[in-house]
Amino acid sequence: MSKHHPLLQAFGALLVLDADSRRIQAVSSNLSSLLNIPIPDVRTQTLTSVLGKRLSQRVRYELQGKQRLSGPLTFKCPTRSQRFQLHAYRSGMHVVIEIEPLHTLGKQRLLGTVNERLMRLAEATHQEELLDYLVMAVQELTGHDRVSVCHFDSDWHGLIVAESLATGSVKPGSVSPGREVPLGRLPALLGQRFPAKDFPVALRGAYERHPVRLIQDVAAPCEHLLPRGAVVDLSDCFLRAPAPERQQYLQRLGVRGALSVAMQGDTGLWGLLFCHSASAYPVTPPVRDAVRTLVQMATQRLLLLRARQEARYLQRVQDSLVLSSNNRLKPQSPYQLFTEHAETWQSLFRAHGVALWVKGSVYQAGNTPKPEAISQLVTRIEKAHVHSGPWCTQETAKEPLTSSLGMSEQSGVLAVPLPTDPSQRGWLIFFRPEQVETLYWAMQPPSAPLTPMMMLPSAAWCEEVTGKSEAWQRVERLAAMDLGEDLTLAISAYEISTLNMHLERERKALADANQRLEQLAHFDPLTQVWNRYRIEQAIDAELVAAKRYGAAFALLLFDVDHFKQINDTLGHSVGDDVLISLARMVESSLRGCDHLGRWGGEEFVVLATHSSMDAAEGLAERLRSLVATLQVTGLNQPMTVSIGVAVWQPDDSCKTIIARADAAMYRAKRNGRNRVEIAEKNVQ
């Protein structure tokens, strides 16, 4: 069916108007019966003749100059004692109006119920509790037979991670394979997976644009647009009927009524909430809105819980760093460092083995490959992996760099480069064992043999996955980079200490080595601006001067908007170029008395000395505008930054002024990014 002449679901009606919202171009075949009004000839009708003068004028007024109405309108049909809800939006040269019945509900009670559920969601302390309460609350609100949360992995396979079943639904294992599920009941899917082919790119894109999808009755006859000659794009129409392949898919699941809500993460579609019923199932607009509100709140809480968990993990890694004050006074050799910390590293990164390769020497702990295999792996990675980020794999048997190295007991590898020497980097390498995993597929997975599809998922396909380790999470890769930078400095400090003892007569070589250590200790190796340690020193010095002489100064904390998306879509090389170009532009735009430092990742700090609030805000706006003009090879989209500005207060410490600037920066992100926010006086 062409997108110009789609089939429509019968629970609502559709009008297609001209661009001025006056004359009707087409209507759905059920409009007359829904509103109980005769429409003998569509081409002779106006919007006023169908909806009345007052409502028609309001639609035209509110839609004037806009793509869609800011919210739905409600009206009472004069020929029928029933209220309706109206949505209007523009589609090309037409205006599309969707109408559906608005059943009477206890609005105050619904609002109170939703508020109570929102408070419970906001109090959840971990993901399982949060999602379990979400599906229970939605199931109680809508009354569907089954409410499930499906989370997407990196390959777009879906996993049912939470579920609530109506009373009398089928529990896992209660229906034998091949037997039919009792009428009006749906089986449990918790813990089962759906292959990525069930969620094609077009479907995921549709959920990105329209997060709520209702199919009231997948088996109901569909309505048409009248007259057939009207040509209009209705791909954004809420009332559109499901495509035939989607109808067949839901029927194989035993589903007749479905409500789906997208769960948007910080980098895209995190998952979907499914409400399924074995019979036709209407869901009124207020209830749909309530469900969407609950899902949005749960998703935001989910992202916050994950961010807190990652922050705690990163702090544990920070606490384990080897470059302590004692180590600076008495540097340890790579062997001493490795022996002392290897067990802690294995625990932090959930590895069963770890190796350190430095200048041809291999140090090993736990279950690792032979030293020769590690040296060969280093040679291959050094040649193939040129950027500064970590390298990892879950399947050494299938990865070209590792398949021939005889690493049968190590299925996962995470390798972190250590730029200890310009000619040959060192490497810190973690190993994970094979993790045999049994997957239960609710629908036929891509790897399953071609067999007739089951009519109902009363029995799942069982697949045993071998040869793969547990995946290396993004936060683990970030933590490994922090550890690698710290280890690089510790090893460099030891090398300098050794040179000071044994190369007294070779002063030039010693001076060069000290200069290299100074560069490693004070400057970021990628951007060549001050690193976090050096900029913190400068802030401490400025705090002393400010308290003694009252010389105010300001901090500008900023980072690149959507930097992870740049890395994920364009690669780490382009991401590195973005950071280098940004640092050069900002540094060249500062006064001689101001300083720039890389705070970590894509975050930078500007220390503006002798600066008032007005001057600092002006500098921030100037830098923000400059960055927007920056062009980087390979990056076709504009680059923007979010900046938080904090001016020194008499009771400030380095920690508090940074915290205020950080809070302002994240406020800038929440308020739309590419903006400057001024820090509040105090941050709790």
Side-chain angles (χ1 to χ4, degrees), residues 266-267 300 474 557-566 579 582 600-604 624 627 639-645 660-678:
D266 48 7
T267 59
Q300 292 303 312
R474 173 179 173 269
L557 184 64
F558 65 92
D559 77 350
V560 180
D561 294 330
H562 303 297
F563 183 73
K564 182 181 182 299
Q565 183 178 353
I566 294 174
L579 297 181
L582 175 65
E602 65 268 31
E603 290 186 358
F604 293 83
R624 184 192 64 79
V627 170
M639 187 195 312
T640 61
V641 292
S642 299
I643 305 178
V645 180
R660 292 193 295 113
D662 184 73
M665 181 186 74
Y666 277 96
R667 190 165 65 250
K669 285 191 172 295
R670 289 194 301 271
N671 290 338
R673 297 184 172 87
N674 189 23
R675 60 187 292 120
V676 175
E677 292 283 352
I678 306 302

Side-chain angles (χ1 to χ4, degrees), residues 34-108:
L34 185 71
L35 298 183
N36 194 24
I37 56 176
I39 306 179
D41 187 352
V42 171
R43 289 167 293 185
T44 65
Q45 301 298 314
T46 64
L47 183 63
T48 302
S49 65
V50 176
L51 297 183
K53 182 177 180 180
R54 183 177 180 181
L55 181 59
S56 301
Q57 287 178 339
R58 186 177 178 187
V59 170
R60 286 194 293 270
Y61 175 76
E62 293 196 14
L63 196 59
Q64 188 174 10
K66 298 179 182 179
Q67 186 64 27
R68 60 176 58 243
L69 293 182
S70 57
L73 299 177
T74 60
F75 67 95
K76 187 174 182 180
C77 183
T79 60
R80 174 174 291 186
S81 60
Q82 184 176 8
R83 299 192 67 80
F84 292 85
Q85 177 170 286
L86 177 152
H87 280 276
Y89 60 90
R90 299 185 183 276
S91 178
M93 298 301 295
H94 297 86
V95 171
V96 178
I97 293 181
E98 300 176 8
I99 298 174
E100 60 178 306
L102 190 61
H103 301 287
T104 302
L105 289 171
K107 293 185 178 179
Q108 295 299 324

Side-chain angles (χ1 to χ4, degrees), residues 360-604:
S361 297
V362 181
Y363 310 105
Q364 301 169 258
N367 193 331
T368 61
K370 295 180 179 179
E372 307 82 51
I374 293 176
S375 295
Q376 290 181 35
L377 175 61
V378 166
T379 301
R380 295 179 183 183
I381 298 178
E382 183 70 22
K383 186 179 298 183
H385 187 74
V386 294
H387 69 74
S388 59
W391 178 91
C392 64
T393 180
Q394 285 181 259
E395 295 183 271
T396 55
K398 294 183 179 179
E399 167 61 45
L401 295 183
T402 56
S403 59
S404 62
L405 293 180
M407 300 169 59
S408 57
E409 297 184 21
Q410 294 81 30
S411 293
V413 176
L414 172 63
V416 184
L418 311 176
T420 54
D421 191 303
S423 61
Q424 176 65 68
R425 294 179 294 181
W427 290 87
L428 179 65
I429 310 174
F430 297 96
F431 300 94
R432 279 181 177 169
E434 175 189 36
Q435 184 183 54
V436 178
E437 188 176 9
T438 301
L439 306 181
Y440 296 92
W441 297 90
M443 302 295 282
Q444 192 170 14
S447 56
L450 295 176
T451 57
M453 298 292 284
M454 292 185 180
M455 293 305 296
L456 289 174
S458 54
W461 276 273
C462 178
E463 179 187 17
E464 187 175 82
V465 178
T466 60
K468 295 179 67 172
S469 74
E470 185 178 357
W472 301 100
Q473 301 298 324
R474 173 179 173 269
V475 68
E476 292 175 321
R477 299 195 298 270
L478 291 174
M481 286 300 297
D482 288 344
L483 179 58
E485 291 176 3
D486 182 75
L487 191 55
T488 298
L489 291 176
I491 293 173
S492 299
Y494 173 78
E495 291 176 352
I496 298 303
S497 175
T498 303
L499 285 173
N500 282 330
M501 290 188 298
H502 299 289
L503 304 177
E504 186 65 33
R505 290 173 295 180
E506 299 183 19
R507 295 185 179 275
K508 185 178 183 303
L510 180 61
D512 291 343
N514 278 322
Q515 184 178 7
R516 180 160 63 89
L517 178 61
E518 180 74 11
Q519 184 74 13
L520 286 169
H522 292 169
F523 291 85
D524 175 60
L526 177 65
T527 61
Q528 297 304 307
V529 300
W530 280 357
N531 61 15
R532 179 168 180 163
Y533 172 73
R534 182 64 185 89
I535 197 70
E536 281 185 333
Q537 285 185 324
I539 295 172
D540 287 336
E542 202 63 31
L543 282 168
V544 172
K547 292 178 181 177
R548 180 173 296 178
Y549 306 112
F553 69 95
L555 287 186
L556 282 64
L557 184 64
F558 65 92
D559 77 350
V560 180
D561 294 330
H562 303 297
F563 183 73
K564 182 181 182 299
Q565 183 178 353
I566 294 174
N567 264 345
D568 289 348
T569 58
L570 301 178
H572 290 276
S573 296
V574 174
D576 289 349
D577 291 342
V578 166
L579 297 181
I580 293 170
S581 302
L582 175 65
R584 287 176 180 170
M585 170 176 277
V586 172
E587 194 169 43
S588 65
S589 304
L590 299 178
R591 300 174 300 171
C593 58
D594 296 339
H595 306 288
L596 173 66
R598 185 179 180 188
W599 195 245
E602 65 268 31
E603 290 186 358
F604 293 83

